[in-house]
Amino acid sequence: MGMIKDSKSTYIEGSSSDEFCKTWIYELDQRLGGGIPAGNTVLLVGSSGTGKTTLSMQFLMNGARNGEAGVFFTITEPLFKLTKNMEKFQFYDKKLIEKGMVNIIDLRIISDRLGLDAEKYSVEDANALLDVLKDIADELQVKRLVIDSITALCYRLQSKELIRDFIFKLGSSLAAMKCTSILTSEVPPDKLKYSQYGIEEFIADGIIYMGDIDRRGDLIRTLQIIKMRGTMHSRSKTAVSLSTAHGIELIPLLKSSR
Amino acid sequence: MKNISTTTIVEGLKERIVNAAIAPSVGVILPSNNYNDFIQAIGEYIKSRPADAYLYVTITNPFERVIKNIGGLLTNSNIKFIDCVSRAAGIETVDNRCIFIESPTHLEKILLDIMNNIKQWNKSVEKYVIIDSLSSFILYNDSILVAEFYTYLCSHLGISNTHIISLCIEEEMDEILNKIIYLKSDRILKVRESFI
């Protein structure tokens, strides 16, 4: 599999190769050098409102449209709020959910059913949760998985050792299944850090940073691929457009931007 | 009813637009006194060529004002608008012929919307992007950023065989914008008050 040669207008359907898991967001796949290497665990980092959840959902919907099932674990937003927010985007297709190609699961409900402490997970709790996540991914035969957000999950895991262990084991299991995962990570605005706990970025195979730049009081959304193991990717900062018609689109950021 | 001198100015300007618009990129530098005349002339030009496709990017005036100024422009079904100022001014007009940009500082978003619109047009028609006015962007952005925006835009429009007509109001211009408009335009139309 080499570089994408399709033009944007024809970049709609096809199949991901064994090597790459395409986001089917044309400009992003171009910058990734073809897509996310299949089985990679990617940390999608950004402060509030930068487009992490939208990009993650678009990644799943686009994948489903091209024959790859996916699962979205939400922990920060109740299910009804998440779906209500997503319904306004054209890429969001309810039928794909009804067909089971995209599954949206509230992780807090799973925690409740497992009888886990809502605020703090022990080692056993973390392992039980990990097993459930792996089982769900396996049972649904998903090729794409999103956890929104890993920060909220890490908050419950509490110790750095647990966080490291959890992400490492999750990433390894999913990689074995050739399942590509996106873990969203919340960071404060204007801070050059990729995770709240300083560990997540070392375990992840890739880091995509979504931020804002201030242009005379207006915020311009940006995206930058910081690392992506297994691919020659762009490291340029791009501007992000978020619209109901097209979802996430990228365009080079004008360099004179401060 | 128009008086004779105004009509003559508009007709004169229209004739110059007809002669200049065959070039891929045309820069129009005009004093603010002649702005309305030129807009009238552009409107006449568009109306006289219904088979062509136009994307009218408005920064100087809101979409509604442009429509009022150039009555009957919308009879051309091949015209679409990108309004960069209404939302920033708190005007909440909704119109399916127009894309409303949140702020004129969102230059990348404007570029993206221009590109996305052009792709929807039939390849066989003559395509035009009209920027009204490039100089108004520097009221909201650093001029070096506007120069970069314009360079990017001209490069992409050149590839997609789309003409660009960029208005610049003399009083708004600075050295950087003056330089870039001369550098990037294949033809410069400089309007003087004593033009006609």
Side-chain angles (χ1 to χ4, degrees):
Chain A
M1 165 79 195
M3 291 290 292
I4 297 165
K5 286 177 183 151
D6 333 32
S7 72
K8 186 181 174 181
S9 55
T10 58
Y11 196 74
I12 303 165
E13 287 179 353
S15 62
S16 286
S17 67
D18 286 345
E19 194 182 352
F20 288 107
C21 173
K22 290 181 183 178
T23 66
W24 297 107
I25 298 168
Y26 176 71
E27 304 89 353
L28 182 55
D29 285 341
Q30 263 196 327
R31 282 166 177 79
L32 282 164
I36 300 169
N40 266 12
T41 300
V42 178
L43 204 60
L44 184 57
V45 187
S47 55
S48 300
T50 49
K52 302 184 294 295
T53 304
T54 308
L55 194 153
S56 303
M57 188 60 83
Q58 198 171 348
F59 166 74
L60 291 187
M61 286 287 169
N62 289 354
R65 213 165 265 125
N66 289 286
E68 290 188 348
V71 59
F72 190 106
F73 291 105
T74 174
I75 191 165
T76 48
E77 237 180 328
L79 220 54
F80 76 93
K81 258 191 184 175
L82 174 72
T83 50
K84 195 183 166 197
N85 290 337
M86 287 296 145
E87 275 169 6
K88 60 179 182 277
F89 290 103
Q90 278 183 23
F91 68 74
Y92 186 84
D93 187 352
K94 270 185 183 173
K95 283 180 189 160
L96 292 172
I97 294 173
E98 287 160 11
K99 282 181 191 168
M101 288 301 286
V102 175
N103 305 272
I104 307 177
I105 297 171
D106 191 331
L107 212 48
R108 286 170 304 184
I109 294 173
I110 290 182
S111 298
D112 282 348
R113 288 187 184 164
L114 288 172
L116 307 182
D117 185 335
E119 290 299 312
K120 188 181 176 184
Y121 294 163
S122 64
V123 178
E124 292 75 24
D125 291 344
N127 285 335
L129 188 65
L130 193 61
D131 286 341
V132 170
L133 292 180
K134 285 191 289 187
D135 287 347
I136 290 173
D138 197 23
E139 197 178 317
L140 296 173
Q141 293 192 309
V142 296
K143 288 290 170 203
R144 295 166 186 237
L145 178 144
V146 171
I147 297 178
D148 186 26
S149 70
I150 196 69
T151 314
L153 196 60
C154 289
Y155 167 76
R156 289 163 175 82
L157 293 170
Q158 298 201 337
S159 86
K160 288 194 172 187
E161 291 72 24
L162 259 183
I163 296 169
R164 181 189 296 271
D165 201 42
F166 185 89
I167 299 174
F168 183 74
K169 282 180 181 168
L170 179 69
S172 306
S173 312
L174 295 173
M177 293 161 57
K178 283 273 181 187
C179 178
T180 308
S181 50
I182 290 182
L183 314 177
T184 70
S185 167
E186 291 155 26
V187 290
D190 302 327
K191 293 267 161 50
L192 197 65
K193 60 190 279 190
Y194 302 126
S195 64
Q196 191 70 36
Y197 299 92
I199 305 163
E200 302 93 300
E201 66 252 44
F202 297 109
I203 308 292
D205 300 302
I207 300 173
I208 298 177
Y209 186 84
M210 299 186 81
D212 290 309
I213 59 159
D214 187 312
R215 192 178 285 160
R216 299 201 182 181
D218 293 330
L219 293 179
I220 312 289
R221 289 190 179 91
T222 63
L223 181 148
Q224 193 165 24
I225 302 162
I226 307 297
K227 82 166 182 182
M228 191 62 66
R229 286 180 187 138
T231 176
M232 294 299 289
H233 61 85
S234 158
R235 286 172 60 86
S236 293
K237 194 178 272 186
T238 61
V240 174
S241 163
L242 208 163
S243 66
T244 51
H246 304 283
I248 296 273
E249 289 177 288
L250 307 181
I251 187 162
L253 184 72
L254 296 175
K255 299 292 178 197
S256 315
S257 301
R258 287 176 182 169
Chain B
M1 187 176 164
K2 288 176 187 174
N3 66 41
I4 292 167
S5 61
T6 307
T7 309
T8 312
I9 291 170
V10 172
E11 286 301 319
L13 288 170
K14 189 185 160 191
E15 191 187 321
R16 275 147 183 93
I17 295 168
V18 170
N19 292 332
I22 46 167
S25 63
V26 181
V28 182
I29 302 170
L30 73 164
S32 56
N33 278 348
N34 282 109
Y35 173 78
N36 285 331
D37 300 327
F38 196 86
I39 296 301
Q40 289 280 333
I42 280 275
E44 295 293 325
Y45 177 76
I46 294 172
K47 276 187 274 183
S48 68
R49 302 172 68 91
D52 299 344
Y54 294 88
L55 186 61
Y56 196 108
V57 183
T58 167
I59 309 107
T60 306
N61 286 310
F63 164 69
E64 273 191 302
R65 174 89 184 270
V66 174
I67 293 302
K68 274 181 192 164
N69 284 353
I70 323 172
L73 193 61
L74 292 173
T75 53
N76 185 331
S77 58
N78 280 343
I79 187 163
K80 279 195 122 183
F81 292 83
I82 295 180
D83 178 331
C84 306
V85 283
S86 285
R87 292 289 181 264
I91 302 165
E92 293 297 325
T93 315
V94 177
D95 194 303
N96 59 15
R97 294 158 299 189
C98 183
I99 295 166
F100 293 90
I101 303 288
E102 196 184 332
S103 164
T105 59
H106 291 197
L107 296 173
E108 292 87 350
K109 171 75 177 152
I110 297 164
L111 286 170
L112 197 61
D113 283 333
I114 292 173
M115 300 310 158
N116 284 343
N117 268 281
I118 286 169
K119 278 175 197 150
Q120 290 169 12
W121 283 336
N122 189 328
K123 279 183 183 167
S124 62
V125 301
E126 285 287 308
K127 301 180 283 280
Y128 293 85
V129 170
I130 297 164
I131 309 283
D132 171 17
S133 305
L134 188 66
S135 55
S136 295
F137 272 124
I138 61 174
L139 301 173
Y140 308 93
N141 299 279
D142 295 341
S143 47
I144 188 78
L145 199 61
V146 178
E148 194 185 343
F149 163 84
Y150 191 59
T151 304
Y152 186 104
L153 184 62
C154 287
S155 305
H156 279 260
L157 293 182
I159 293 167
S160 59
N161 291 322
T162 304
H163 300 268
I164 178 167
I165 300 174
S166 308
L167 274 65
C168 284
I169 300 167
E170 214 165 46
E171 290 87 339
E172 286 178 341
M173 288 181 77
D174 67 2
E175 202 179 321
I176 293 172
L177 198 63
N178 195 54
K179 195 172 164 185
I180 203 76
I181 196 81
Y182 273 94
L183 202 64
K184 288 289 161 190
S185 301
D186 298 304
R187 195 165 294 188
I188 291 284
L189 195 55
K190 197 156 187 174
V191 180
R192 290 266 157 238
E193 286 187 66
S194 57
F195 185 65
I196 304 296

